[in-house]
Amino acid sequence: MRQARESSSPTRPDSWTFAMSDVVRQYRQLAEEQAANPGFIYDTLIIGGGAAGAGVLRDMASRGNASAVLVDRGPFGGETSSKTGKAIHPGIRYLRMAFHRALLAFHLRKDPKIKQTSAQNLRGAWLDLQLVWYGTRERKILIETSGNTVEEIPNIVFVLPDSPEKKWAVFFGISLYDVFTTLWAWCSFVPRFSRVKLFRNKKALHRELPNLEKAGEVLGGILYWDGKANNDKILVLKAIRDAYFRGSAAHPIRAMSHVEVENYEWRQDGATGYFLVTLARRFEDDGLPEKVTVKAHTLTNAAGPWVDQARNRTARSDEKKSVVYSRGSHLEATNRFIHESLSADPRLQVGLVPLNAERQHYLRPFHQHGVWYIQCTTTDRAHSDPDLVVPLEDEIEELLHSYNALVDDRWKITRRDIFNVFCGIRPLASGDGGEIAVKDISRMFRINKRACGGGVVYDMVNIKLTEFRWAGRAVAELIAGELRKQNVKRLGMSTTRRLPFLAVPGEERFALGRADHPRGDRDFLREKVAHYVTHQMASSYQDYLLNSGAIRDAVVFDEAGRCALDLDVLDLVLEEMATLLHWDHRRRQAEWEAFQEVYCRNMAYTDLGEGVRNHEPAPGSLRVQHANASGIE
């Protein structure tokens, strides 16, 4: 590993990729490097390995002469960044929020729920308008550079009698949204023309989508195109992996999971100085030191919902609260009819977006691991504890009702069709002033620069998956400016705007959305697990199944065509990971119980969780034999 890094060219030997999954090796190498060269100072140390931290790390790596180290106390992208609706979009609702706040600012509309001054409303409108304008650019960049991890999807917005806007206003807003996309395409000399399509009434919608025959009290709709990530966690992993590949011996780029920042302090050293950061390992290994110290010129706090906790790991904590929390719940459901219908008719592969009065719902079809399913997503409930995020029964009912109100009887889903439920939270800036609900806070990200001793820390707040490259570049520019100010160095220019993500061997073969994914092939599943351990940093059974989406490999259909789980597949995955990562029986059992606890907790109000709760995995020495696949072909 050390010798391979002597070359600055981003080639991809297998030893690099496996080292990223091998948490122990990463930590050992850092300890050895610090012992050999204790005077080395990184340009920045990044706290948090989600989308925000990944964006900063990749932008620093793209500059050619920067050094950075990223640490995360758990698996990369294992929290908020893997519990999203997977949308890569500027956000039609953010455009609506911008216009709503502008009308409030000029006293052309009243909203008793938003108790803010005209100046505050005008600022919120401007922030959200920027978010949509530049977010359109970011969606385009990710579609072009992510290697098919981000793709376009058609969506239809439905106007209902209780929608917060009239039909003409919705049509105008989404047409403007599409104009932004068209302008960015022409700016890149890629001609694009409007792709919106209006549906003036319910009958017009039914002609487009026959499965909407009983679409409630829909008044009309409009079709537009947006983006989605095949898998949110994989997008984060690819960004971290890409950055890691671009490091060199002179300008190292490091990324370590299961390593936590315990504390940090500023040390003055002549005219400049550095942060002395104590890192603590969160994995068992008696042969390694419990703690390692590293030096960094700046700190980047990309801890997401835990940004305040990470900020206060100093001798003098300020105890300030800079964020409030918004939660969103997600369920994924399918059955034989839905899977086969979506497979057979591309017209039906369209997202459904009912414009509800209180909360926005997104009801999108996904094709992953060879199965078509519907993901139902809700947004914006106030939340308090970032360490306890559990889907509630009424949220599941709300999502089921939102979807079922649009489709005819054959397409309706029940709790019996749900195979996965999860809940994520987003930290929103709490410094807007006045009384305001979480759903009305601007979604524009914030970078709070603050002094700590003689150094600078950058707190990243409210980084959406769509904007992670943009926010990462903004923070890297601030770091570059600070390094120039300290006369440390002059960083190169960011190149992430057109820089393709580096691929690894087998990435196309195991791509999530492949149409020819061989369902039920046990040999393929074993090879896939090996690929994820070797190249996708899979080091936890729970994280692989739930955050990387591999639970979908176990989805099958029973004789009645209802959704079921093949528990033999779960056993196979556990055995393969245990073999590859050298887990003993105790660790293997602990990995199963961790998955079982989270999955059954999230699935408490559905039917399929009970089978996992009552299951005991096969003994580790027993090879899971080939079995007949029960339903998905």
Side-chain angles (χ1 to χ4, degrees):
M1 177 70 177
R2 184 66 179 173
Q3 292 179 346
R5 276 185 172 271
E6 295 300 324
S7 171
S8 61
S9 60
T11 54
R12 299 176 295 280
D14 285 349
S15 59
W16 284 26
T17 53
F18 188 78
M20 294 203 71
S21 293
D22 192 337
V23 178
V24 175
R25 186 187 303 183
Q26 282 277 307
Y27 189 83
R28 179 185 296 113
Q29 288 177 345
L30 181 69
E32 291 172 351
E33 287 180 359
Q34 290 301 304
N37 186 12
F40 182 81
I41 305 176
Y42 285 93
D43 294 328
T44 195
L45 184 141
I46 304 165
I47 306 171
V56 178
L57 188 73
R58 185 169 186 257
D59 195 88
M60 293 289 286
S62 79
R63 295 168 183 264
N65 66 335
S67 61
V69 57
L70 177 150
V71 297
D72 194 289
R73 65 179 182 177
F76 297 133
E79 294 294 342
T80 303
S81 298
S82 60
K83 296 174 178 62
T84 76
K86 302 181 180 61
I88 301 295
H89 66 163
I92 56 170
R93 71 191 186 99
Y94 308 138
L95 185 61
R96 178 198 167 269
M97 286 170 63
F99 282 112
H100 182 59
R101 295 289 287 271
L103 292 173
L104 292 175
F106 291 104
H107 304 288
L108 299 174
R109 175 181 287 181
K110 294 182 179 180
D111 188 341
K113 296 179 181 178
I114 300 181
K115 300 177 181 179
Q116 292 198 305
T117 66
S118 293
Q120 289 168 335
N121 278 321
L122 196 59
R123 179 174 180 269
W126 173 241
L127 289 174
D128 279 327
L129 191 60
Q130 285 187 81
L131 180 65
V132 176
W133 169 245
Y134 289 110
T136 308
R137 176 195 66 188
E138 294 305 303
R139 179 186 60 196
K140 176 179 180 293
I141 290 172
L142 289 175
I143 289 173
E144 293 174 348
T145 62
S146 68
N148 297 322
T149 302
V150 178
E151 60 189 11
E152 284 191 303
I153 180 176
N155 297 277
I156 295 180
V157 171
F158 299 91
V159 184
L160 307 170
D162 63 347
S163 291
E165 303 293 346
K166 300 294 184 181
K167 187 161 55 175
W168 69 267
V170 174
F171 288 177
F172 170 77
I174 294 181
S175 296
L176 179 61
Y177 187 80
D178 188 71
V179 167
F180 288 177
T181 303
T182 300
L183 290 174
W184 279 114
W186 279 87
C187 286
S188 301
F189 304 104
V190 181
R192 178 194 185 276
F193 299 92
S194 177
R195 299 169 68 184
V196 300
K197 184 175 181 180
L198 302 179
F199 304 100
R200 301 173 67 89
N201 50 46
K202 180 177 174 180
K203 289 183 179 179
L205 279 168
H206 178 237
R207 285 194 294 270
E208 179 75 11
L209 295 176
N211 58 327
L212 302 181
E213 183 178 3
K214 298 181 179 179
E217 298 298 324
V218 171
L219 303 179
I222 181 169
L223 181 145
Y224 71 101
W225 288 77
D226 231 325
K228 70 174 182 180
N230 283 330
N231 186 287
D232 37 18
K233 178 183 172 70
I234 296 300
L235 182 60
V236 172
L237 292 182
K238 289 182 73 169
I240 294 174
R241 192 180 65 201
D242 181 89
Y244 181 80
F245 286 158
R246 297 181 191 279
S248 65
H251 308 290
I253 300 293
R254 286 210 161 272
M256 294 183 296
S257 58
H258 303 282
V259 175
E260 184 172 16
V261 171
E262 186 173 84
N263 57 67
Y264 61 88
E265 61 178 313
W266 177 257
R267 296 282 183 88
Q268 195 67 34
D269 184 10
T272 60
Y274 57 83
F275 285 102
L276 185 67
V277 186
T278 301
L279 305 178
R281 58 179 171 85
R282 290 171 59 93
F283 56 88
E284 295 181 10
D285 193 301
D286 294 336
L288 292 175
E290 292 185 5
K291 300 176 183 179
V292 173
T293 57
V294 297
K295 299 173 182 177
H297 290 293
T298 63
L299 289 184
T300 301
N301 183 1
W306 298 273
V307 64
D308 290 334
Q309 291 92 321
R311 186 182 70 251
N312 287 317
R313 293 190 176 177
T314 62
R316 295 182 179 179
S317 302
D318 59 27
E319 301 300 332
K320 291 182 180 179
K321 182 178 180 181
S322 63
V323 297
V324 294
Y325 304 117
S326 169
R327 63 181 282 153
S329 292
H330 315 265
L331 68 81
E332 297 174 337
T334 191
N335 53 48
R336 187 187 300 277
F337 174 80
I338 288 175
H339 167 74
E340 293 180 350
S341 298
L342 289 172
S343 300
D345 192 346
R347 292 182 308 157
L348 305 177
Q349 299 166 14
V350 58
L352 312 178
V353 189
L355 198 59
N356 298 305
E358 288 298 320
R359 270 182 293 279
Q360 193 69 62
H361 297 152
Y362 295 94
L363 318 168
R364 295 187 181 95
F366 275 84
H367 180 254
Q368 291 184 347
H369 305 266
V371 61
W372 278 99
Y373 64 91
I374 304 294
Q375 184 189 77
C376 302
T377 295
T378 189
T379 59
D380 288 336
R381 281 194 177 198
H383 192 76
S384 57
D385 185 356
D387 294 309
L388 181 61
V389 189
V390 182
L392 301 178
E393 185 174 16
D394 69 300
E395 292 174 309
I396 293 174
E397 285 299 318
E398 180 181 332
L399 288 170
L400 289 175
H401 178 268
S402 180
Y403 172 79
N404 289 334
L406 292 176
V407 298
D408 67 31
D409 291 342
R410 297 171 303 165
W411 285 82
K412 293 185 189 301
I413 56 177
T414 68
R415 297 188 188 201
R416 179 64 177 81
D417 300 307
I418 299 171
F419 64 86
N420 194 28
V421 181
F422 56 98
C423 191
I425 58 172
R426 179 183 298 162
L428 305 177
S430 65
D432 281 345
E435 293 183 37
I436 184 169
V438 292
K439 73 182 184 68
D440 296 313
I441 297 176
S442 171
R443 271 17 183 205
M444 182 65 177
F445 65 81
R446 312 289 175 87
I447 301 168
N448 299 327
K449 178 181 177 180
R450 59 185 177 84
C452 181
V456 174
V457 180
Y458 301 101
D459 294 331
M460 303 179 72
V461 178
N462 192 22
I463 313 301
K464 292 171 69 260
L465 189 64
T466 306
E467 287 80 47
F468 84 95
R469 188 212 67 90
W470 173 19
R473 182 177 183 273
V475 171
E477 287 291 340
L478 292 173
I479 293 170
E482 184 64 23
L483 296 178
R484 288 196 303 270
K485 180 180 175 182
Q486 296 179 14
N487 294 317
V488 173
K489 66 164 65 170
R490 185 176 293 272
L491 295 184
M493 298 291 291
S494 170
T495 59
T496 55
R497 188 161 178 173
R498 293 183 174 84
L499 190 67
F501 287 70
L502 294 170
V504 293
E507 194 161 56
E508 279 299 312
R509 183 182 179 210
F510 298 103
L512 297 179
R514 280 194 68 141
D516 58 348
H517 190 102
R519 293 288 304 182
D521 186 327
R522 268 44 177 177
D523 288 336
F524 178 83
L525 287 177
R526 292 188 181 96
E527 294 171 13
K528 180 179 176 181
V529 172
H531 169 80
Y532 270 77
V533 168
T534 305
H535 297 295
Q536 306 290 358
M537 307 173 228
S539 59
S540 158
Y541 181 66
Q542 170 199 320
D543 184 55
Y544 174 61
L545 284 178
L546 299 182
N547 297 333
S548 297
I551 189 68
R552 299 172 193 109
D553 281 322
V555 172
V556 292
F557 304 131
D558 61 22
E559 293 181 356
R562 307 302 298 272
C563 188
L565 288 180
D566 186 343
L567 298 176
D568 285 347
V569 169
L570 300 184
D571 286 358
L572 181 149
V573 171
L574 179 61
E575 181 179 350
E576 291 302 311
M577 292 192 74
T579 301
L580 291 166
L581 295 170
H582 310 292
W583 294 341
D584 58 19
H585 175 75
R586 182 179 63 85
R587 172 68 184 276
R588 183 178 181 275
Q589 187 65 26
E591 290 284 337
W592 167 259
E593 290 173 357
F595 158 73
Q596 187 182 50
E597 191 276 328
V598 173
Y599 185 74
C600 294
R601 180 197 69 195
N602 290 347
M603 295 282 288
Y605 304 108
T606 67
D607 295 344
L608 290 185
E610 195 63 25
V612 172
R613 186 184 305 279
N614 297 327
H615 180 65
E616 283 294 330
S621 60
L622 176 64
R623 297 293 296 179
V624 179
Q625 302 297 321
H626 287 268
N628 294 326
S630 54
I632 301 180
E633 300 178 357

